[in-house]
Amino acid sequence: MFILPVVAIASYQHYKIGKQPAYDAKETLLNYEIIGSGENKLVLLHGLTGSLHYWKRNLESITTTHKLLLVDLLGFGDSPKPQSDYSLSIQLQALELILNKEGFNDGNIIIAGHSMGAMISLAILEKQPTWFKAGIFISIPVYKNADEFKEIMSSHSFVDRISTSKFSKYICMIHPIFMSRAFKPVNLTDDVYEDAKKHHWMSYYYSLTKVILKTDLYAIVKKIKDKDVLFIHGEKDITAPLENALKLSREFKNAQIITSSEGDHQFFLKEAEFVWNTIKDFTISEKKLKKTIPNEHE
């Protein structure tokens, strides 16, 4: 009696994807919002299963000084969910359309992201260095290889373990079952968790396996070592260990690390004011405008 409903749900999820068109690099437009009236332009990218609503906390702290472009990445939130391999190059193509369309490419832009969004932010900073003056990476996941990722996730909850295992594709096909309130992680807010249900197995599985686990962040950094960057990280992040982010930050000539002593991987949801103030200090302070900030963890 349990197997039949599970098979039915998985089959329906697979059917829905089969009805989606293939990704069109010229026509597929992401969902996005522009908020704020400040003269400083800031692009914000969410993490795996997230959405642009992830950033809608304490916005009054940032929108008077910054104009925000909030984006739903391809396959997540209310953006299209086409048939695609959801590789890093595809995500960058889709993002570039929006940045060009809205003029967030004039060389005075700050690109920022959380988790997988931080990886994509780093990648587009390397691909289009003339578009951006700096990058901000919040809780960026840096792994030596898939084995290290597997070892790190082995200490997480049962749901986290199976959703990041070799069975993640199949688990994601029945995510309507697992993403009930009973399985909601304590470090996610209700609205963020509700938006996390909007992805499908293809956007989740390929984003995990092709973006998070196969992107060589060190190779990317080698080409943009001179860029000003800010790393914001929780010291109690057991998903993206701080020491790995610190090691990556040392590859930059002008990097700053700011940490939250009690923060986990989703610390922004509880400490939005702290993150916004840190971003403002980095992007508009007199100190930042007049000289670079050395890597204080060297």
Side-chain angles (χ1 to χ4, degrees):
M1 292 180 65
F2 174 74
I3 293 176
L4 287 177
V6 169
V7 171
I9 291 173
S11 298
Y12 177 67
Q13 295 295 321
H14 202 277
Y15 167 78
K16 283 202 304 182
I17 295 176
K19 300 293 288 184
Q20 296 294 320
Y23 172 71
D24 185 329
K26 296 181 179 180
E27 299 294 333
T28 305
L29 291 179
L30 301 178
N31 181 58
Y32 64 94
E33 292 183 28
I34 296 177
I35 301 174
S37 57
E39 61 182 20
N40 305 279
K41 291 183 177 180
L42 175 65
V43 181
L44 290 161
L45 307 179
H46 61 78
L48 186 67
T49 77
S51 76
L52 59 82
H53 295 294
Y54 186 86
W55 304 106
K56 292 185 176 181
R57 281 156 183 76
N58 298 81
L59 285 176
E60 64 278 1
S61 297
I62 191 74
T63 50
T64 57
T65 56
H66 289 72
K67 185 178 184 180
L68 310 181
L69 175 63
L70 311 180
V71 180
D72 278 341
L73 293 169
L74 188 71
F76 299 96
D78 292 323
S79 276
K81 300 170 181 63
Q83 296 188 53
S84 169
D85 65 0
Y86 290 90
S87 62
L88 181 60
S89 62
I90 293 295
Q91 289 288 359
L92 296 182
Q93 285 179 4
L95 182 58
E96 285 170 323
L97 281 182
I98 300 305
L99 295 175
N100 276 312
K101 180 175 182 289
E102 296 298 338
F104 278 72
N105 58 357
D106 62 11
N108 292 310
I109 312 300
I110 304 293
I111 183 72
H114 168 258
S115 194
M116 184 181 77
M119 301 177 74
I120 294 173
S121 297
L122 182 61
I124 199 163
L125 182 64
E126 182 270 321
K127 186 179 180 183
Q128 301 290 355
T130 62
W131 291 11
F132 310 102
K133 63 180 180 181
I136 299 173
F137 316 121
I138 304 170
S139 303
I140 188 168
V142 184
Y143 306 114
K144 297 175 184 176
N145 49 43
D147 288 337
E148 182 186 30
F149 173 75
K150 181 179 179 181
E151 181 180 353
I152 288 170
M153 296 307 297
S154 67
S155 63
H156 283 223
S157 68
F158 171 72
V159 173
D160 284 346
R161 292 200 305 273
I162 61 173
S163 62
T164 55
S165 70
K166 62 182 179 181
F167 303 109
S168 59
K169 178 193 299 186
Y170 308 105
I171 296 301
C172 204
M173 288 182 186
I174 56 172
H175 77 267
I177 295 175
F178 284 96
M179 297 198 72
S180 64
R181 181 167 292 275
F183 293 103
K184 185 178 82 68
V186 295
N187 62 349
L188 290 186
T189 57
D190 289 344
D191 59 332
V192 168
Y193 192 59
E194 285 302 311
D195 270 0
K197 300 176 183 180
K198 294 181 179 180
H199 67 277
H200 56 50
W201 75 263
M202 186 176 283
S203 62
Y204 176 89
Y205 177 75
Y206 288 129
S207 294
L208 174 65
T209 57
K210 294 194 173 187
V211 178
I212 294 177
L213 296 183
K214 289 190 176 181
T215 300
D216 186 344
L217 297 179
Y218 284 91
I220 292 173
V221 170
K222 284 182 180 179
K223 301 177 182 179
I224 50 172
K225 285 186 174 182
D226 293 331
K227 281 290 187 181
D228 291 343
V229 295
L230 169 66
F231 289 75
I232 310 177
H233 218 94
E235 294 180 15
K236 294 186 177 180
D237 190 336
I238 60 172
T239 298
L242 173 61
E243 57 267 27
N244 291 4
L246 287 174
K247 184 177 178 182
L248 182 69
S249 75
R250 296 188 186 107
E251 298 295 311
F252 287 97
K253 294 180 180 179
N254 305 308
Q256 183 181 10
I257 300 285
I258 301 296
T259 62
S260 164
S261 60
E262 296 297 317
D264 61 11
H265 194 59
Q266 305 291 351
F267 74 95
F268 171 78
L269 298 177
K270 293 182 180 179
E271 301 182 63
E273 190 82 19
F274 162 75
V275 173
W276 295 139
N277 286 336
T278 300
I279 289 175
K280 286 191 290 185
D281 287 344
F282 175 74
T283 57
I284 64 176
S285 70
E286 289 300 311
K287 181 180 179 182
K288 183 60 190 166
L289 291 173
K290 292 181 179 179
K291 65 178 182 179
T292 59
I293 302 175
N295 189 326
E296 59 192 42
H297 287 259
E298 289 182 342

